[in-house]
Amino acid sequence: MTDAAELKRRTAELLAAHPPATTDRLDFLRARFDAGLAWVHYPEGLGGLGAARSLQVVVDAELEAAGAPDNDPRRNGIGLGMAAPTILKYGTEEQKQLLRPLWTGEEVWCQLFSEPGAGSDLAALGTRAVREGEDWVVNGQKVWTSSAHNARWAILIARTDPDVPKHAGITYFLCDMTDPGVEVRPLRQITGEAEFNEVFLTDVRIPDTRRLGEIGDGWRVAQTTLNNERVAIGGMRLPREGGMIGPISRTWRERPELRSHDLHQRLLKLWVEAEVARLTGERLRQQLVAGQPGPEGAGMKLAFARLNQEISGLEVELRGEEGLLYDDWTMRRPEMVDFVGRDAGYRYLRSKGNSIEGGTSEVLLNIVAERVLGLPSEPRTDKDVAWKDLAR
């Protein structure tokens, strides 16, 4: 059994063989993965050592103290937080070989789930995948695809059987974004940048070897992705005053002329709520040690969206006229997602997407009500109707 002492020893060996000060960043990350110190709870040969998930902090602390480089979850959050755990659970040995370049950041991933007619009701998706020999031919459109313009790979769900109810006829694939027929178009946001995209799939051929899970079992596979997504967005590890509450707290301390009694009371309330959310996130991550994330992540993601929007709105109000300023409306194609961003204007505008991305707040409220609190589910008249017979 790999314990903390063993992990410290292995980390010291990594640092001795690849001194951070003289080793290329990518070379160091590759060596770290090969040493099993990327995800210590993953199996040996796949970036881990089969150790307890809780011991990852031991490795991270040793490497941080040595000034070692790390991968950047902001650039490849979908790959690290959503694709990797799904591939680990359902992938073949060949598919699991994609984990190394995913972790090092050499290959960025995106998520081809939502569609113009299937956002909140994801199971109603209409992108079709038709079997032709050893390939699947895919046609359809996906939307709100973060980082598709940077991505080499995508996790994709498509309809493979229209003659059964909507949840039962979906299959999960790994799609090479460089394949013929994949077209990425930018979606310009209120911030001016195009972090999201729409993706058109025209006769894209995906080998059956890139199918993840069984045919028709895509909805169950996708639940692993979605549960991890909510934790990745809403349950990220933060220090005290990390995230959106940090900038407004600094402004409050540094700009006493902006203060008022009302603003003080509102900031105190949000500071406490942000700290409660941070500590709840720590508890949720401890629960992950025992297994896969469950629907509780929906609650964290709900809190994340609400707090970001309320805090950024208060920051704009605190700053007054200068809070309305925005530095750059130029059309940009960012390399990474940055929720906190450059200035108060950016934070206020970007936070509007927090209640949509990763599942709308309305859908997540239903998940919390039904799957966490055990309340009766909403009537679903389409549950047993073949997808082809549904009104669209």
Side-chain angles (χ1 to χ4, degrees):
M1 182 66 178
T2 304
D3 58 12
E6 174 65 11
L7 287 174
K8 287 184 177 182
R9 184 187 69 77
R10 288 175 179 264
T11 304
E13 288 180 353
L14 171 68
L15 292 168
H18 305 275
T22 57
T23 303
D24 175 77
R25 176 181 178 275
L26 184 55
D27 289 340
F28 186 89
L29 293 178
R30 288 170 175 166
R32 177 179 171 180
F33 185 94
D34 295 340
L37 301 174
W39 295 295
V40 296
H41 59 291
Y42 275 36
E44 291 191 42
L46 297 176
L49 296 167
R53 185 180 190 136
S54 58
L55 292 177
Q56 184 66 54
V57 295
V58 175
V59 174
D60 293 345
E62 294 289 311
L63 292 176
E64 182 179 358
D70 202 351
N71 58 7
D72 193 340
R74 296 178 303 166
R75 183 171 180 267
N76 198 18
I78 290 172
L80 294 166
M82 302 163 214
T86 310
I87 292 170
L88 179 66
K89 185 173 182 179
Y90 293 99
T92 64
E93 291 307 310
E94 179 183 359
Q95 291 166 348
K96 289 175 183 178
Q97 299 312 305
L98 295 169
L99 292 174
R100 186 176 189 258
L102 182 160
W103 189 84
T104 62
E106 294 169 79
E107 294 179 347
V108 174
W109 286 67
C110 66
Q111 181 183 21
L112 298 178
F113 277 29
S114 295
E115 299 181 7
S120 296
D121 185 11
L122 179 60
L125 63 89
T127 294
R128 290 293 311 277
V130 178
R131 186 73 178 263
E132 288 190 6
E134 293 303 311
D135 293 341
W136 295 85
V137 180
V138 182
N139 285 278
Q141 179 187 357
K142 300 291 183 175
V143 76
W144 307 124
T145 309
S146 301
S147 301
H149 55 292
N150 297 323
R152 163 65 197 279
W153 291 97
I155 45 179
L156 162 71
I157 50 177
R159 186 157 307 282
T160 50
D161 189 350
D163 298 321
V164 296
K166 58 184 182 181
H167 292 85
I170 295 171
T171 303
Y172 199 117
F173 299 96
L174 307 179
C175 176
D176 188 335
M177 294 292 286
T178 66
D179 279 346
V182 179
E183 180 186 0
V184 178
R185 300 181 190 174
L187 286 173
R188 194 176 189 195
Q189 298 150 238
I190 195 172
T191 58
E193 60 193 12
E195 171 193 320
F196 298 120
N197 304 270
E198 53 185 348
V199 179
F200 294 86
L201 305 163
T202 306
D203 293 332
V204 178
R205 302 189 75 88
I206 299 179
D208 188 56
T209 54
R210 293 198 205 134
R211 171 171 47 83
L212 199 64
E214 300 299 321
I215 298 172
D217 200 30
W219 186 253
R220 185 167 69 95
V221 179
Q223 292 310 300
T224 296
T225 304
L226 296 173
N227 285 334
N228 278 282
E229 177 181 34
R230 292 156 192 156
V231 173
I233 294 177
M236 62 186 72
R237 176 172 278 109
L238 294 171
R240 177 172 288 186
E241 290 194 2
M244 200 72 78
I245 198 66
I248 189 174
S249 298
R250 288 192 295 273
T251 299
W252 182 267
R253 295 186 181 102
E254 296 168 1
R255 303 283 300 279
E257 75 277 9
L258 300 177
R259 300 174 188 170
S260 72
H261 177 73
D262 174 64
L263 291 172
H264 188 207
Q265 296 303 307
R266 290 161 63 189
L267 177 59
L268 283 175
K269 175 178 179 291
L270 290 172
W271 193 98
V272 170
E273 290 185 13
E275 182 65 4
V276 169
R278 185 183 74 84
L279 295 174
T280 303
E282 289 289 343
R283 185 174 66 179
L284 178 62
R285 283 188 294 276
Q286 291 171 9
Q287 292 174 344
L288 296 184
V289 173
Q292 295 295 321
E296 297 83 2
M300 285 303 305
K301 200 271 177 179
L302 272 168
F304 168 83
R306 180 184 64 81
L307 280 170
N308 275 4
Q309 292 172 357
E310 291 188 14
I311 292 169
S312 62
L314 181 62
E315 183 182 18
V316 168
E317 189 174 344
L318 171 65
R319 288 178 173 270
E321 292 181 357
E322 69 179 71
L324 300 175
L325 299 177
Y326 186 62
D327 62 346
D328 187 5
W329 290 99
T330 306
M331 166 68 168
R332 300 179 301 280
R333 302 287 271 151
E335 284 282 321
M336 61 184 65
V337 177
D338 187 356
F339 291 129
V340 178
R342 300 170 294 278
D343 53 29
Y346 175 90
R347 286 188 282 277
Y348 177 76
L349 295 173
R350 180 59 182 82
S351 69
K352 300 307 176 187
N354 295 161
S355 52
I356 301 172
E357 58 199 342
T360 65
S361 291
E362 292 77 9
V363 169
L364 296 182
L365 285 169
N366 278 349
I367 291 173
V368 171
E370 296 174 14
R371 297 175 59 193
V372 179
L373 301 179
L375 298 177
S377 62
E378 290 187 342
R380 292 180 172 88
T381 59
D382 62 355
K383 187 174 181 180
D384 299 317
V385 180
W387 177 84
K388 67 179 183 180
D389 297 327
L390 297 176
R392 285 184 292 280

